[in-house]
C-alpha cells in the first residue's frame, strides 16, 4: 500500500502531491528532496529513512515517487509507478514536467481514481479515458447514461473492452517486433544472445470477438505427433507473458492463446527465446593501441540475413578514450564521424543490404596525460532495424476471429527485428 | 500547442504575488462558474507547492454543490487536505456528501463515498455509516468496490464503530460477490483490517474463502490478482494434495506481463512448496518458476532490482533453480550500479566448476570498468570464486595477477586483499607470486591492502629473502599508520623474528619499544606488551601463539539463518525481501513499541549478525540508509504520532545502516558480539592461549589487563576489538571480509598446542 505519491521536477519542486494515508505529512516531501534529489550519490531506487520507505523512478525530467510506512510489495509499487507514467503518456503524449504542469488537475483526478487508500485500482488507460476526460464540458445527460455502463465495464471481467464497438471493415494488424540482445566477448565468443519479442496488435473488430492466435511454438507443435515431420522450423520459447486479456489458464493447460482483445492498439504478448538465434550482424573489430598516443581501428560489419532484405538506420557507436584529441576515419559505406561529447566514433549506414559487408578504418590521436590510467574499452554498441526478419525464426501461423455475427475479417502481419542491447567487446 | 501548454502551466503555477489569497477569495465568490473553477484550480496548485490555503475553506466548500464533476473532484481534493485544519467547518460539507451518495450517477456515488472516507475528522464519522452501508449494497459494482475500501478507511479511524455497524460482516460477504474487482477489494480491505485487529478473527482464510478467491483470481485486474495472491499466501493447506492444487491454480499467473503479479505468484508457490511431499511435483514447479524469473530481468531497472534481491533469496532456499542460467546475470555495460551489484552477487551464487571459466572472464571484464565500487566488488568476487572452487583457484590467481599488472591503483589494492584470503585458504600453494605482490608495495595506500600485504610478508617471512627490508620499509611510517596496519606490522615483525631471529632481533626490539612507549592506542600498545613478555619469558609459548595453525576459511553463500529465511520467503516481493531483513527491522513503529523491538532484536541477534556479514560483502550498503539521519528524521516527522517512541532501526541494530566506510568496523562489532558463543575465529583460541600464559609465565597481571581491555574495547574510536585477540591466536588479521566459521575443534587445537 502506498501512503503518499509525489511527482517532482529535477530541481526538486513538488509538482503533484497526494497523501493517501494519515501516517505521513506533506513535509515529508522535503526529506526526499534533500536525501535523494540533491544527493549526488544515490545508489538504490528504494531508500528507507526511519520507518518511511521512498521508492523512486526517474522519467524524462521527473521523479515519480511513492512512499510507504509498511512492508509494502516493492515490485507492485514500481510497476505502479511505471503504470502511472504509461497512463500519463497515453493521455498527454509525453509525460514530462511541462505535461504535468499543464494537466495537474487531470493528474489529480487520475490519481484519485487509480489509487484508493493506497491500493491500486483500475489503471487501464483505455478504460480511464472513458470517464476521466480532458474536455470536461460534456452534456450532463450523456454522462448519466454512460456512467452506469462505464462503471460496469471498469469493474467487469473484460474491463478492457467496451461491448458496443462497431467497424464497417473488420481488420486486425499484428506486428512482431524482436529486439536482439547480444554480448560478444573480445575473442568473438557469444557470451549471451537472446531475443526479447513483442507482439503488438491493433484490433479493429466489431462486437465481442474471441480470437485464437497461433505461433510456430515448438512445445505446442511437437505435442501433436502428426505434425512432427512437416513443421521442422519451430521456435522454442523460453518464456512468455500476456496482456491481461489472454486466458492464462488455457495457455497453461494446452498452450493455446485465446483472448477477447481490447479495442485498438495493445501489446498482446512478450516472449523471450535464446535458442537458435540468427544474429543479423557480425562485427569484427580490431582495435590496436599503438604506444600512448595512437589507437588504430579496423571494424568490419557483415549483414547475416538474406540478400533480398535490407536493414535501416544502422548505427555503430565505437568508443574512443577520454583523452582523444582527434580522429580520422573512412568508411566503405555510410558516414562516420567522431563525436567528442559521446567519446565515440558514430558510424551511420542508412541502408544495409543483406549479405553485404562494410569496413571502417580509422585512427584516434590521443593527448598525453600525466596520470595514465588504462582505458576501460567500453563495448561497441549497435543499432539497426531489419524488416520482415525475425532473429528467432518466429512466425505467426494463424489468427482466428470468432464472433457471433460471423463477419469476415482481414488480418495483416509484419515482422521486424531491431537491436536491443547489441554489444561487442573488443 | 506547446506554446499553449506553457501559457497554461504558467497561469496556475507561476502566479505568486502578494495578496493572492484575497484575489482568490474574490474569484471563489464570483458569480461566473468559469471564474470560480479557475480559482479552485489555482487553490489546488498552491496547495501542491505547499502554500497554506486553508483560510479559503468556507469559500471553496461552497462550490462543492455542483453538477460539474471536475469541479466537484477539485473541491473534494481540497477537502481531503484541509478538513483536519477546519474540523468544525467540515459539517458544511456533510450534507452534500450524503446527498451525493444517493446520486443517480454511480461515478458520483462512488466519488462521494471514497472522499468521505478520506476525511479523517470525527464529525464525519457520525454521518458516514448510513451512506456506507447503502453503498456496500449498491447495485453497481463500481460503487461496491469503492465502498469495500471505505470500510477499511473507517476501520482505521474507529474499529469499534466498524464492528458495531456490522460492516465487517458485510465485507466478509462481499468476498463472495459476483464481481471480481469487488472480491479483490474486499480481500484487500479485510487483509489490512486483520493485520491491525486485536482479535485476529476478521479474516481467516479457510477452504471456502480460498476457493472463492481462486475463482476470482482469473478475472480480476492485475492489482486485484496481487491482493488475492497475497491473502492466499496466508492459507495453511491441510495436506500436500491441497497445496498441489493451489499451486496448479497459481502457476498460470507466472505468465502475467506485470512483474509484481509474477513475484506474488512466486511467493505463494515458494510457501506452498513447504507442504508438498512429491519430489517430482516440486521439481516441476521449480522448473516452471525459472523462466519467468529470468524474464523479470527484462523489466524496468527498479523492478529488476527487486527481482534480483528476491532471486538471491530463492537461490539460497532452492539452490537447484536457475542452475543453467548464469549467463542471463551477466551485467550489461549500461545497467544501473544497483542492478550490476545484485547480478554480481547472483553470479557468485551460481558459480560452479562448470561455468567458472565463463564467470571469471566476465569478472575480469568488469574489473576494467569505470565504476570504482563495482570494480572492487568484481575483484572481490574473483577471490570468493577461488575460495569456493578449489580446482579453479589457480585460474583465479592468474586472473588476479593479470589485474595486478594493470597497475590501476585500486584494482591492485583490492587484488592484494583478496589474495591474502586465497593464501589463507590454500597455504603454501601460491608462494611463487609473492615477488609480484611485493613489487606493488609503493602503490598501497589503503590500510586494508597494506595490512594484507604485511600479513603475507610476515606469514611467509622465511621464503622472502628481503622480508626484513620490506618490513623495515613499512616501519618507517609506523607511527603514522592506521591502527589496523600497526597491529599487522607488530605481528608480522614478531613472526619475522621467530623465523629469522638473527636478521631481525634489532627490528623487533625497536618496534616493541616504539609501540609500547609512543603509541596511545591501547590495542596496539597492549599487543606489543603481550608479545614482548611472551618473547622474554617463554619463546616457545610465543611461537605456539604467533605461529599457530590458522583455522580454514570458507565462503558462505547461504548467509541467512533458516528461521529468517522462512520469514523472508513469506515476504517475497515486499520490502523485507529487498532488504533481507525481517519487516519489524525497518517498520517497527507501526506494530511494535521500542521495547518489543529491542526484545525482538535480541532474539534476532544471530540472524542479524549474519546479515551484517552479508552487508559487508556487498559493502556499498546500498539498501541501508544513513542511520543518524534516520533518527533525526523520524523524530521530526514522526512528531505527529503520539504512539511513537523511538526509531526502531537504530535501536535494534546500530550496525546495520552504515555506508561503505563503516562496514568494516561493523563487522568487527558483530563478530565481537557473538564472541561468547565461540564463533569468532581466533577469539576462543586467543583467549585460551592467554589464560594459559597467565598461569605458566606467572604474569597474572597480564590477564587482568586483558580483561579490562576487553571491556574498553568498544569505546576507543576505531580500534579492533578482536584483532588483538586474534593476533594472540596467531593470525593477526584485523579483517577478514568473509564471515568465517572455523570449527570449534580448531580453537581447541590452538589450546592444545600451547601446552
Amino acid at each position: 500500500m502506498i501512503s503518499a505519491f509525489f511527482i517532482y521536477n529535477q530541481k526538486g519542486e513538488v509538482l503533484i502531491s497526494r497523501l493517501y494515508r494519515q501516517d505521513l505529512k506533506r513535509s515529508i516531501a522535503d526529506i526526499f528532496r534533500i536525501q535523494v534529489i540533491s544527493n549526488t550519490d544515490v545508489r538504490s531506487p528504494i531508500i528507507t529513512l526511519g520507518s518511511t520507505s521512498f521508492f523512486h523512478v526517474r522519467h524524462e525530467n521527473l521523479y515519480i515517487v511513492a512512499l510507504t510506512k509498511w512492508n509494502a510489495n516493492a515490485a507492485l509499487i514500481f510497476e505502479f509507478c511505471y503504470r502511472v507514467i504509461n497512463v500519463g503518456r497515453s493521455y498527454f503524449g509525453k509525460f514530462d514536467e511541462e505535461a504535468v504542469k499543464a494537466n495537474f488537475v487531470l493528474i489529480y483526478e487520475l490519481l484519485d481514481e487509480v489509487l484508493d487508500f493506497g491500493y491500486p485500482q483500475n489503471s487501464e488507460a483505455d478504460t480511464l479515458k472513458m470517464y476521466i476526460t480532458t474536455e470536461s464540458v460534456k452534456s450532463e445527460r450523456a454522462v448519466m447514461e454512460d456512467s452506469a455502463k462505464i462503471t460496469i465495464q471498469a469493474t467487469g471481467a473484460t474491463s478492457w473492452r467496451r461491448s458496443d464497438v462497431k467497424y464497417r471493415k473488420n481488420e486486425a494488424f499484428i506486428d512482431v517486433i524482436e529486439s536482439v540482445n547480444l554480448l560478444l566477448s573480445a575473442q568473438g565468443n557469444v557470451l549471451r544472445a537472446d531475443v526479447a519479442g513483442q507482439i503488438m496488435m491493433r484490433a479493429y473488430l466489431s462486437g465481442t470477438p474471441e480470437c485464437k492466435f497461433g505461433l510456430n511454438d515448438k512445445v505446442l507443435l511437437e505435442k501433436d505427433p502428426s505434425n512432427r515431420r512437416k513443421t521442422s522450423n519451430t521456435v522454442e520459447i523460453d518464456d512468455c507473458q500476456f496482456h491481461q486479456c489472454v486466458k492464462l489458464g488455457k495457455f497453461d493447460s494446452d498452450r493455446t492463446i485465446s483472448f477477447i482483445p481490447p479495442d485498438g492498439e495493445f501489446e498482446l504478448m512478450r516472449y523471450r527465446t535464446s535458442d537458435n538465434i540468427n544474429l543479423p550482424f557480425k562485427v569484427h573489430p580490431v582495435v590496436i593501441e599503438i604506444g600512448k598516443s595512437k589507437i588504430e581501428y579496423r571494424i568490419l560489419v557483415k549483414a547475416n540475413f538474406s540478400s533480398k532484405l535490407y536493414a535501416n538506420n544502422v548505427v555503430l557507436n565505437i568508443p574512443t578514450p577520454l583523452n582523444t584529441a582527434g580522429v580520422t576515419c573512412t568508411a566503405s559505406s555510410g558516414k562516420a564521424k567522431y563525436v567528442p561529447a559521446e567519446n565515440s566514433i558514430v558510424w551511420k549506414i542508412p541502408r544495409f543490404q543483406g549479405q553485404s559487408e562494410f569496413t571502417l578504418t580509422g585512427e584516434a590521436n590521443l593527448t598525453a596525460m600525466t596520470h595514465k590510467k588504462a582505458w576501460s574499452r567500453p563495448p561497441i554498441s549497435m543499432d539497426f532495424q531489419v524488416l520482415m526478419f525475425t532473429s528467432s525464426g518466429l512466425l505467426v501461423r494463424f489468427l482466428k476471429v470468432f464472433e457471433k455475427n460471423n463477419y469476415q475479417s482481414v488480418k495483416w502481419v509484419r515482422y521486424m527485428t531491431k537491436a536491443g542491447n547489441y554489444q561487442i567487446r573488443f | 500547442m506547446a506554446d499553449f501548454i506553457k501559457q497554461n502551466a504558467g497561469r496556475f503555477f507561476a502566479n505568486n504575488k502578494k495578496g493572492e489569497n484575497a484575489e482568490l477569495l474574490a474569484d471563489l465568490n464570483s458569480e461566473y462558474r468559469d471564474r470560480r473553477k479557475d480559482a479552485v484550480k489555482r487553490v489546488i496548485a498552491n496547495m501542491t507547492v505547499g502554500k497554506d490555503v486553508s483560510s479559503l475553506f468556507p469559500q471553496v466548500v461552497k462550490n462543492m454543490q455542483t453538477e460539474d464533476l471536475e469541479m466537484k473532484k477539485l473541491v473534494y481534493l481540497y477537502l481531503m487536505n484541509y478538513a483536519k485544519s477546519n474540523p468544525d467547518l467540515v459539517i458544511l460539507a456533510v450534507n452534500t456528501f450524503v446527498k451525493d451518495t444517493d446520486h443517480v450517477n454511480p461515478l458520483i456515488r462512488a466519488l462521494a463515498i471514497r472522499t468521505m472516507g478520506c476525511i479523517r475528522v470525527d464529525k464525519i464519522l457520525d454521518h458516514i455509516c448510513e451512506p456506507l452501508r447503502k453503498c456496500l449494497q449498491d447495485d453497481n459494482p463500481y460503487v461496491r468496490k469503492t465502498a469495500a475500501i471505505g470500510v477499511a478507511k473507517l476501520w482505521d479511524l474507529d474499529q469499534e464503530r466498524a464492528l458495531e455497524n456490522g460492516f465487517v460482516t458485510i465485507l466478509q460477504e462481499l468476498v463472495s460477490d459476483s464481481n471480481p474487482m469487488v472480491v479483490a477489494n474486499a480481500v484487500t480491505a479485510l487483509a489490512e483490517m486483520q493485520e491491525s485487529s486485536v482479535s485476529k478473527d476478521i479474516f481467516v482464510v479457510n477452504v471456502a474463502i480460498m476457493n472463492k478467491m481462486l475463482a476470482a483470481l482469473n478475472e480480476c485486474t492485475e492489482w486485484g490478482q496481487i491482493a488475492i495472491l497475497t491473502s492466499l499466501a496466508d492459507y495453511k493447506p491441510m495436506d500436500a494434495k491441497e497445496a498441489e492444487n493451489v499451486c496448479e491454480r497459481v502457476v498460470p499467473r507466472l505468465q502475467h506481463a506485470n512483474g509484481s503479479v509474477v513475484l506474488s505468484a512466486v511467493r505463494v508457490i515458494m510457501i506452498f512448496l513447504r507442504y508438498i511431499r512429491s519430489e517430482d511435483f516440486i521439481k516441476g514447479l521449480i522448473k516452471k518458476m525459472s523462466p519467468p524469473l529470468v524474464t523479470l530481468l527484462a523489466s524496468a531497472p527498479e523492478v529488476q532490482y527487486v527481482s534480483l534481491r528476491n532471486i538471491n533469496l530463492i537461490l539460497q532456499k532452492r539452490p537447484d533453480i536457475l542452475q543453467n542460467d548464469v549467463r542471463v546475470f551477466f551485467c550489461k555495460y549500461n545497467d544501473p550500479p544497483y542492478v550490476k551489484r545484485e547480478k554480481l552477487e547472483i553470479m557468485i551464487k551460481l558459480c560452479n566448476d562448470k561455468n567458472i571459466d565463463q564467470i571469471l572472464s566476465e569478472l575480469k571484464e568488469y574489473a576494467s570498468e569505470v565504476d570504482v565500487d563495482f570494480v572492487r566488488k568484481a575483484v572481490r568476487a574473483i577471490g570468493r570464486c577461488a575460495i569456493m572452487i578449489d580446482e579453479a583457484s589457480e585460474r583465479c590467481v592468474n586472473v588476479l595477477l593479470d589485474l595486478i599488472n594493470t597497475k590501476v591503483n585500486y584494482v591492485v589494492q583490492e587484488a592484494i586483499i583478496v589474495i591474502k584470503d586465497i593464501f589463507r585458504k590454500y597455504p603454501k600453494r601460491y608462494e611463487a607470486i609473492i615477488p609480484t605482490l611485493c613489487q606493488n608495495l609503493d602503490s598501497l595506500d589503503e590500510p586494508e591492502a597494506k595490512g594484507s600485504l604485511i600479513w603475507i610478508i610476515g606469514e611467509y617471512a622465511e621464503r622472502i629473502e628481503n622480508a626484513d627490508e620490506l618490513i623495515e620499509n613499512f616501519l618507517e611510517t609506523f607511527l603514522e599508520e592506521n591502527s589496523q596496519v600497526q597491529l599487522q606490522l607488530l605481528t608480522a615483525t614478531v613472526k619475522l623474528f621467530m623465523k629469522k631471529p638473527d636478521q631481525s632481533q634489532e627490528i623487533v626490539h625497536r618496534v616493541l619499544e616504539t609501540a609500547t612507549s609512543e603509541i596511545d592506542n591501547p590495542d596496539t600498545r597492549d599487543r606489543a606488551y603481550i608479545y614482548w613478555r611472551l618473547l622474554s619469558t617463554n619463546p616457545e609459548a610465543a611461537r605456539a601463539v604467533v605461529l599457530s595453525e590458522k583455522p580454514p576459511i570458507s565462503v558462505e553463500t547461504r548467509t541467512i539463518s533458516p528461521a529468517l529465511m522462512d520469514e523472508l520467503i513469506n515476504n517475497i516481493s515486499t520490502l523485507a525481501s529487498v532488504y533481507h531483513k525481517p519487516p519489524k527491522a525497518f517498520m517497527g513503529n507501526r506494530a511494535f513499541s521500542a521495547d518489543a523491538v529491542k526484545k525482538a532484536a535480541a532474539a534476532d541477534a544471530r540472524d542479524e549478525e549474519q546479515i551484517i556479514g552479508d552487508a559487508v560483502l556487498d559493502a556499498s550498503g546500498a539498501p541501508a540508509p544513513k542511520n543518524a539521519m534516520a533518527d533525526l528524521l523520524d523524530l521530526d516527522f514522526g512528531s505527529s504520532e503520539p504512539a511513537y517512541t523511538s526509531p526502531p532501526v537504530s535501536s535494534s541494530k546500530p550496525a546495520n545502516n552504515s555506508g561503505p566506510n563503516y562496514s568494516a568496523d561493523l563487522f568487527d562489532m558483530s563478530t565481537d558480539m557473538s564472541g561468547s558463543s565461540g564463533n569468532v575465529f581466533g577469539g576462543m583460541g586467543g583467549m585460551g592461549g592467554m589464560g594459559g600464559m597467565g598461569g605458566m609465565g606467572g604474569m597474572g597481571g597480564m590477564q587482568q589487563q586483558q580483561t579490562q581491555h576487553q571491556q574498553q574495547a568498544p569505546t576507543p574510536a576505531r580500534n579492533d576489538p578482536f584483532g588483538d585477540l586474534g593476533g594472540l591466536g596467531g593470525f593477526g588479521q584485523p579483517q577478514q571480509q568473509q564471515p568465517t566459521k572455523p570449527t570449534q575443534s580448531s580453537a581447541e587445537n590452538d589450546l592444545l598446542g600451547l601446552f
Side-chain angles (χ1 to χ4, degrees), chain A residues 127-190:
Chain A
T127 318
L128 289 169
K129 276 181 182 164
M130 294 183 333
Y131 57 103
I132 297 181
T133 45
T134 25
E135 78 289 303
S136 56
V137 204
K138 218 179 174 191
S139 95
E140 283 310 316
R141 259 194 106 72
V143 170
M144 262 190 291
E145 269 173 23
D146 261 344
S147 54
K149 226 190 280 171
I150 291 168
T151 49
I152 302 259
Q153 217 236 287
T155 56
T158 49
S159 63
W160 54 85
R161 190 181 176 91
R162 282 182 290 151
S163 54
D164 56 349
V165 184
K166 272 206 185 69
Y167 288 101
R168 271 249 299 281
K169 193 174 169 196
N170 290 293
E171 284 181 302
F173 300 86
I174 294 172
D175 281 297
V176 178
I177 304 165
E178 295 201 335
S179 305
V180 205
N181 299 310
L182 169 75
L183 190 58
L184 204 65
S185 77
Q187 290 74 37
N189 303 323
V190 176

Side-chain angles (χ1 to χ4, degrees), chain B residues 59 131 137 147 453 482 509 537 604 715:
Chain B
Q59 284 74 27
Q137 281 144 354
L453 188 57
N482 177 297
H509 193 265
T537 28
D604 281 341
T715 353

